[in-house]
Amino acid sequence: MIEDRNYYEIHREEWQTFHQDSLPTLTEEELSDLTSLNDRLSLEDVRDVYVPMVHMFDVYFQHYRDLQRSKSRFLGRAYEPAPLIIGVTGSVSVGKSTTARVLQNLLKRAYPEKTIELVTTDGFLYSNHILKERNIMDKKGFPESYDMESLVQFLLDVKTGKPNVKFPVYSHRIYDIVPDSFEEITHPDILIVEGINVLQLPSNQQIYVSDFFDFSIYVDAEEDMIEQWYIERFEMLMDLAKDQPDNYYYNYAIGKREDAIEMARGVWKRINLKNLREYIYPTITRADLVIHKTTNHFIDELYIKKY
Protein backbone atom coordinates (compact mmCIF):
# COMPACT_ATOMS: atom_id res chain seq x y z
CA MET A 1 0.00 0.00 0.00
CA ILE A 2 1.51 3.28 -1.11
CA GLU A 3 2.03 6.10 1.38
CA ASP A 4 2.98 9.21 -0.52
CA ARG A 5 1.70 12.78 -0.24
CA ASN A 6 1.93 13.06 -4.02
CA TYR A 7 -1.14 10.79 -4.36
CA TYR A 8 -4.83 11.10 -3.64
CA GLU A 9 -5.96 8.01 -1.74
CA ILE A 10 -9.39 6.96 -2.98
CA HIS A 11 -11.31 4.11 -1.37
CA ARG A 12 -13.31 1.84 -3.64
CA GLU A 13 -16.61 3.14 -2.25
CA GLU A 14 -15.72 6.66 -3.39
CA TRP A 15 -14.11 5.60 -6.69
CA GLN A 16 -17.23 3.73 -7.80
CA THR A 17 -19.29 6.93 -7.52
CA PHE A 18 -17.35 8.25 -10.51
CA HIS A 19 -19.17 5.60 -12.57
CA GLN A 20 -21.38 6.68 -15.46
CA ASP A 21 -23.92 4.46 -17.20
CA SER A 22 -23.06 5.52 -20.75
CA LEU A 23 -20.35 2.89 -21.27
CA PRO A 24 -21.38 -0.64 -22.37
CA THR A 25 -19.97 -3.19 -19.96
CA LEU A 26 -18.91 -6.84 -20.33
CA THR A 27 -20.79 -10.11 -20.19
CA GLU A 28 -19.77 -12.92 -17.82
CA GLU A 29 -18.42 -14.92 -20.77
CA GLU A 30 -16.36 -12.01 -22.09
CA LEU A 31 -14.96 -11.32 -18.64
CA SER A 32 -13.98 -14.97 -18.22
CA ASP A 33 -12.02 -14.85 -21.49
CA LEU A 34 -10.16 -11.71 -20.37
CA THR A 35 -9.28 -12.88 -16.85
CA SER A 36 -5.88 -14.50 -16.28
CA LEU A 37 -5.61 -18.09 -15.11
CA ASN A 38 -5.69 -17.55 -11.35
CA ASP A 39 -6.98 -13.99 -11.25
CA ARG A 40 -10.41 -13.14 -9.90
CA LEU A 41 -12.56 -10.40 -11.39
CA SER A 42 -16.32 -9.89 -11.25
CA LEU A 43 -18.72 -7.75 -13.24
CA GLU A 44 -19.08 -5.71 -10.06
CA ASP A 45 -15.32 -5.03 -10.18
CA VAL A 46 -15.65 -3.92 -13.80
CA ARG A 47 -18.49 -1.56 -12.93
CA ASP A 48 -17.00 -0.20 -9.70
CA VAL A 49 -13.33 0.10 -10.73
CA TYR A 50 -12.72 -0.19 -14.45
CA VAL A 51 -15.63 1.80 -15.88
CA PRO A 52 -14.70 4.91 -13.83
CA MET A 53 -11.11 4.34 -14.95
CA VAL A 54 -12.17 4.49 -18.60
CA HIS A 55 -14.06 7.71 -18.00
CA MET A 56 -10.90 9.13 -16.43
CA PHE A 57 -8.93 8.10 -19.51
CA ASP A 58 -11.46 9.89 -21.68
CA VAL A 59 -10.45 13.13 -19.95
CA TYR A 60 -6.77 12.39 -20.59
CA PHE A 61 -7.37 11.34 -24.20
CA GLN A 62 -9.36 14.44 -25.10
CA HIS A 63 -6.79 16.69 -23.43
CA TYR A 64 -3.98 14.84 -25.22
CA ARG A 65 -5.58 15.35 -28.63
CA ASP A 66 -6.28 19.04 -27.90
CA LEU A 67 -2.65 19.55 -26.86
CA GLN A 68 -1.39 17.91 -30.07
CA ARG A 69 -3.63 20.10 -32.21
CA SER A 70 -2.59 23.26 -30.35
CA LYS A 71 1.09 22.37 -30.77
CA SER A 72 0.58 21.81 -34.51
CA ARG A 73 -1.15 25.19 -34.89
CA PHE A 74 1.59 26.93 -32.92
CA LEU A 75 4.29 25.42 -35.13
CA GLY A 76 2.35 25.94 -38.32
CA ARG A 77 2.53 22.23 -39.07
CA ALA A 78 -0.10 19.75 -40.22
CA TYR A 79 -1.77 17.86 -37.39
CA GLU A 80 -0.32 14.34 -37.17
CA PRO A 81 -2.01 12.43 -34.34
CA ALA A 82 0.30 10.29 -32.22
CA PRO A 83 -1.07 7.44 -30.12
CA LEU A 84 -1.78 7.82 -26.43
CA ILE A 85 0.39 5.18 -24.74
CA ILE A 86 -0.59 3.63 -21.40
CA GLY A 87 1.86 1.54 -19.36
CA VAL A 88 0.66 -1.22 -17.00
CA THR A 89 3.08 -2.83 -14.55
CA GLY A 90 3.39 -4.73 -11.28
CA SER A 91 4.75 -8.03 -9.99
CA VAL A 92 4.35 -11.38 -11.68
CA SER A 93 1.00 -13.01 -10.73
CA VAL A 94 -0.53 -9.76 -9.45
CA GLY A 95 -3.07 -9.54 -12.27
CA LYS A 96 -1.61 -6.82 -14.49
CA SER A 97 -2.40 -8.80 -17.65
CA THR A 98 -6.07 -8.94 -16.68
CA THR A 99 -6.01 -5.22 -15.97
CA ALA A 100 -4.52 -4.48 -19.39
CA ARG A 101 -6.96 -6.73 -21.28
CA VAL A 102 -10.08 -5.47 -19.50
CA LEU A 103 -8.96 -1.89 -19.99
CA GLN A 104 -8.37 -2.51 -23.70
CA ASN A 105 -11.79 -4.13 -24.09
CA LEU A 106 -13.63 -1.30 -22.36
CA LEU A 107 -11.71 1.36 -24.31
CA LYS A 108 -12.80 -0.38 -27.52
CA ARG A 109 -16.39 0.01 -26.35
CA ALA A 110 -15.83 3.64 -25.43
CA TYR A 111 -14.16 4.41 -28.79
CA PRO A 112 -15.62 1.92 -31.31
CA GLU A 113 -14.22 3.95 -34.23
CA LYS A 114 -10.66 3.95 -32.87
CA THR A 115 -7.88 1.36 -32.79
CA ILE A 116 -6.90 0.18 -29.30
CA GLU A 117 -3.88 -2.14 -29.24
CA LEU A 118 -2.20 -4.13 -26.46
CA VAL A 119 1.42 -5.32 -26.40
CA THR A 120 3.24 -7.18 -23.62
CA THR A 121 6.96 -6.74 -23.06
CA ASP A 122 7.42 -10.52 -22.73
CA GLY A 123 8.12 -10.52 -26.46
CA PHE A 124 11.19 -8.40 -25.83
CA LEU A 125 12.80 -10.92 -23.49
CA TYR A 126 15.92 -12.46 -24.94
CA SER A 127 15.36 -16.04 -26.09
CA ASN A 128 16.19 -18.84 -23.65
CA HIS A 129 19.12 -19.70 -25.92
CA ILE A 130 20.64 -16.25 -25.43
CA LEU A 131 19.86 -16.22 -21.71
CA LYS A 132 21.65 -19.55 -21.29
CA GLU A 133 24.53 -18.37 -23.45
CA ARG A 134 24.92 -15.33 -21.19
CA ASN A 135 24.46 -17.44 -18.05
CA ILE A 136 21.48 -15.37 -16.87
CA MET A 137 18.65 -17.89 -17.27
CA ASP A 138 18.03 -17.63 -13.53
CA LYS A 139 17.54 -13.88 -13.99
CA LYS A 140 14.76 -14.12 -16.54
CA GLY A 141 12.53 -11.11 -15.91
CA PHE A 142 15.37 -9.03 -14.46
CA PRO A 143 16.34 -5.87 -16.39
CA GLU A 144 19.33 -7.55 -18.09
CA SER A 145 17.10 -10.26 -19.60
CA TYR A 146 15.25 -7.81 -21.86
CA ASP A 147 16.29 -6.41 -25.23
CA MET A 148 15.52 -2.86 -24.11
CA GLU A 149 17.00 -1.32 -27.23
CA SER A 150 14.49 -3.15 -29.41
CA LEU A 151 11.61 -2.29 -27.06
CA VAL A 152 12.53 1.41 -27.11
CA GLN A 153 12.82 1.33 -30.91
CA PHE A 154 9.41 -0.35 -31.15
CA LEU A 155 7.78 2.37 -29.05
CA LEU A 156 9.57 5.11 -30.97
CA ASP A 157 8.30 3.69 -34.27
CA VAL A 158 4.74 3.50 -32.96
CA LYS A 159 4.78 6.95 -31.37
CA THR A 160 6.14 8.61 -34.53
CA GLY A 161 3.55 7.02 -36.78
CA LYS A 162 5.55 4.35 -38.59
CA PRO A 163 3.19 1.80 -40.24
CA ASN A 164 3.33 -1.97 -39.82
CA VAL A 165 5.52 -1.99 -36.71
CA LYS A 166 6.45 -5.57 -35.84
CA PHE A 167 7.07 -7.07 -32.42
CA PRO A 168 8.17 -10.60 -31.39
CA VAL A 169 5.80 -13.16 -29.87
CA TYR A 170 6.36 -14.87 -26.51
CA SER A 171 4.70 -18.18 -25.56
CA HIS A 172 4.05 -19.05 -21.91
CA ARG A 173 3.37 -22.59 -23.08
CA ILE A 174 6.99 -23.12 -24.18
CA TYR A 175 8.32 -20.43 -21.79
CA ASP A 176 10.26 -18.79 -24.62
CA ILE A 177 10.20 -16.48 -27.64
CA VAL A 178 8.47 -18.15 -30.61
CA PRO A 179 11.16 -18.37 -33.33
CA ASP A 180 10.53 -16.22 -36.43
CA SER A 181 7.07 -15.24 -35.20
CA PHE A 182 5.92 -11.62 -35.20
CA GLU A 183 2.77 -9.57 -34.86
CA GLU A 184 2.36 -6.00 -36.07
CA ILE A 185 0.37 -2.88 -35.39
CA THR A 186 -0.31 0.19 -37.53
CA HIS A 187 -1.30 3.65 -36.31
CA PRO A 188 -3.10 2.79 -33.06
CA ASP A 189 -5.06 5.57 -31.39
CA ILE A 190 -4.29 4.09 -27.97
CA LEU A 191 -1.56 1.56 -27.19
CA ILE A 192 -1.42 -0.31 -23.87
CA VAL A 193 2.02 -1.69 -22.97
CA GLU A 194 2.00 -4.29 -20.19
CA GLY A 195 5.04 -5.74 -18.43
CA ILE A 196 7.01 -5.89 -15.19
CA ASN A 197 9.74 -3.64 -16.60
CA VAL A 198 7.85 -0.74 -18.17
CA LEU A 199 8.63 1.84 -15.47
CA GLN A 200 12.22 0.76 -14.82
CA LEU A 201 15.20 3.00 -15.59
CA PRO A 202 18.07 0.80 -16.81
CA SER A 203 21.49 2.38 -16.45
CA ASN A 204 23.36 3.95 -19.35
CA GLN A 205 20.20 4.57 -21.38
CA GLN A 206 19.60 7.87 -23.16
CA ILE A 207 15.88 7.20 -23.41
CA TYR A 208 13.62 4.99 -21.30
CA VAL A 209 10.50 2.98 -22.07
CA SER A 210 8.47 5.17 -19.72
CA ASP A 211 9.45 8.28 -21.71
CA PHE A 212 6.84 7.20 -24.26
CA PHE A 213 4.01 6.82 -21.73
CA ASP A 214 1.25 9.37 -21.37
CA PHE A 215 -0.23 7.51 -18.40
CA SER A 216 1.01 4.60 -16.27
CA ILE A 217 -0.64 2.11 -13.91
CA TYR A 218 0.95 0.00 -11.16
CA VAL A 219 -1.02 -3.01 -9.85
CA ASP A 220 -0.02 -3.57 -6.22
CA ALA A 221 -0.58 -6.14 -3.45
CA GLU A 222 1.23 -7.38 -0.35
CA GLU A 223 4.16 -9.75 -0.98
CA ASP A 224 2.64 -12.74 0.83
CA MET A 225 -0.53 -12.50 -1.24
CA ILE A 226 1.40 -12.31 -4.51
CA GLU A 227 3.41 -15.36 -3.49
CA GLN A 228 0.18 -17.26 -2.81
CA TRP A 229 -1.20 -16.26 -6.22
CA TYR A 230 2.08 -17.27 -7.88
CA ILE A 231 1.95 -20.77 -6.37
CA GLU A 232 -1.75 -21.11 -7.23
CA ARG A 233 -1.00 -20.22 -10.85
CA PHE A 234 1.93 -22.66 -10.97
CA GLU A 235 -0.33 -25.49 -9.82
CA MET A 236 -2.97 -24.59 -12.40
CA LEU A 237 -0.36 -24.51 -15.14
CA MET A 238 0.81 -27.97 -14.10
CA ASP A 239 -2.76 -29.27 -14.26
CA LEU A 240 -3.16 -27.90 -17.78
CA ALA A 241 0.17 -29.38 -18.92
CA LYS A 242 -0.22 -32.98 -17.75
CA ASP A 243 -1.29 -34.22 -21.22
CA GLN A 244 0.96 -31.87 -23.21
CA PRO A 245 4.53 -33.25 -23.51
CA ASP A 246 5.67 -30.13 -25.39
CA ASN A 247 4.52 -27.86 -22.57
CA TYR A 248 7.22 -26.30 -20.33
CA TYR A 249 5.28 -27.41 -17.22
CA TYR A 250 4.81 -31.04 -18.37
CA ASN A 251 7.83 -32.47 -16.52
CA TYR A 252 6.65 -30.83 -13.30
CA ALA A 253 3.11 -32.11 -13.90
CA ILE A 254 4.15 -35.77 -14.21
CA GLY A 255 6.52 -35.70 -11.25
CA LYS A 256 5.89 -35.48 -7.52
CA ARG A 257 3.58 -32.54 -6.91
CA GLU A 258 5.13 -31.67 -3.53
CA ASP A 259 8.59 -31.43 -5.10
CA ALA A 260 7.31 -29.22 -7.91
CA ILE A 261 5.59 -26.84 -5.50
CA GLU A 262 8.70 -26.71 -3.32
CA MET A 263 10.73 -25.84 -6.41
CA ALA A 264 8.23 -23.08 -7.30
CA ARG A 265 8.49 -21.59 -3.81
CA GLY A 266 12.26 -21.53 -4.21
CA VAL A 267 11.96 -19.76 -7.58
CA TRP A 268 9.63 -17.21 -6.02
CA LYS A 269 12.02 -16.40 -3.17
CA ARG A 270 15.24 -16.57 -5.16
CA ILE A 271 14.09 -14.82 -8.34
CA ASN A 272 10.63 -13.25 -8.36
CA LEU A 273 10.65 -11.78 -4.85
CA LYS A 274 14.16 -10.42 -5.37
CA ASN A 275 13.10 -8.91 -8.70
CA LEU A 276 10.01 -7.39 -7.08
CA ARG A 277 11.92 -5.82 -4.20
CA GLU A 278 14.92 -4.57 -6.16
CA TYR A 279 13.51 -3.57 -9.55
CA ILE A 280 9.70 -3.60 -9.76
CA TYR A 281 8.31 -2.17 -6.52
CA PRO A 282 10.78 0.75 -6.45
CA THR A 283 9.04 2.06 -9.61
CA ILE A 284 5.63 2.36 -7.92
CA THR A 285 5.93 6.10 -7.27
CA ARG A 286 6.54 6.68 -10.99
CA ALA A 287 3.00 5.46 -11.74
CA ASP A 288 0.14 7.88 -12.32
CA LEU A 289 -2.38 5.41 -10.88
CA VAL A 290 -1.83 2.64 -8.32
CA ILE A 291 -4.45 -0.11 -8.07
CA HIS A 292 -4.21 -1.86 -4.71
CA LYS A 293 -5.46 -5.43 -4.26
CA THR A 294 -6.15 -7.44 -1.17
CA THR A 295 -7.45 -10.98 -0.45
CA ASN A 296 -8.84 -12.81 -3.51
CA HIS A 297 -7.64 -10.02 -5.81
CA PHE A 298 -10.25 -7.64 -4.38
CA ILE A 299 -9.45 -4.03 -5.31
CA ASP A 300 -9.94 -1.96 -2.18
CA GLU A 301 -8.11 1.30 -2.88
CA LEU A 302 -6.73 3.38 -5.72
CA TYR A 303 -4.08 6.08 -5.60
CA ILE A 304 -3.93 8.74 -8.29
CA LYS A 305 -1.05 11.16 -8.63
CA LYS A 306 -1.87 14.77 -7.78
CA TYR A 307 0.22 16.30 -10.56
Side-chain angles (χ1 to χ4, degrees), residues 31 34-37 39 41 50 95-103 293:
L31 184 59
L34 296 171
T35 305
S36 294
L37 191 60
D39 204 349
L41 192 69
Y50 286 90
K96 60 187 180 300
S97 297
T98 299
T99 295
R101 287 193 293 264
V102 171
L103 183 57
K293 289 184 170 188

Side-chain angles (χ1 to χ4, degrees), residues 1-36:
M1 191 177 301
I2 189 170
E3 295 182 6
D4 194 308
R5 289 182 296 175
N6 294 325
Y7 287 85
Y8 295 110
E9 179 181 351
I10 304 173
H11 294 281
R12 180 180 176 126
E13 292 74 17
E14 179 184 4
W15 181 264
Q16 69 188 43
T17 64
F18 305 150
H19 164 71
Q20 299 177 28
D21 295 324
S22 57
L23 183 66
T25 189
L26 306 171
T27 66
E28 288 279 7
E29 184 178 0
E30 289 171 329
L31 184 59
S32 177
D33 290 340
L34 296 171
T35 305
S36 294

Side-chain angles (χ1 to χ4, degrees), residues 56-73:
M56 178 191 66
F57 278 124
D58 183 61
V59 174
Y60 274 83
F61 190 52
Q62 298 307 324
H63 175 71
Y64 179 69
R65 285 287 189 251
D66 289 343
L67 179 62
Q68 286 185 308
R69 291 188 181 94
S70 297
K71 185 188 292 186
S72 297
R73 284 195 298 268

Side-chain angles (χ1 to χ4, degrees), residues 82-98:
L84 180 86
I85 301 184
I86 301 168
V88 180
T89 192
S91 171
V92 298
S93 302
V94 79
K96 60 187 180 300
S97 297
T98 299

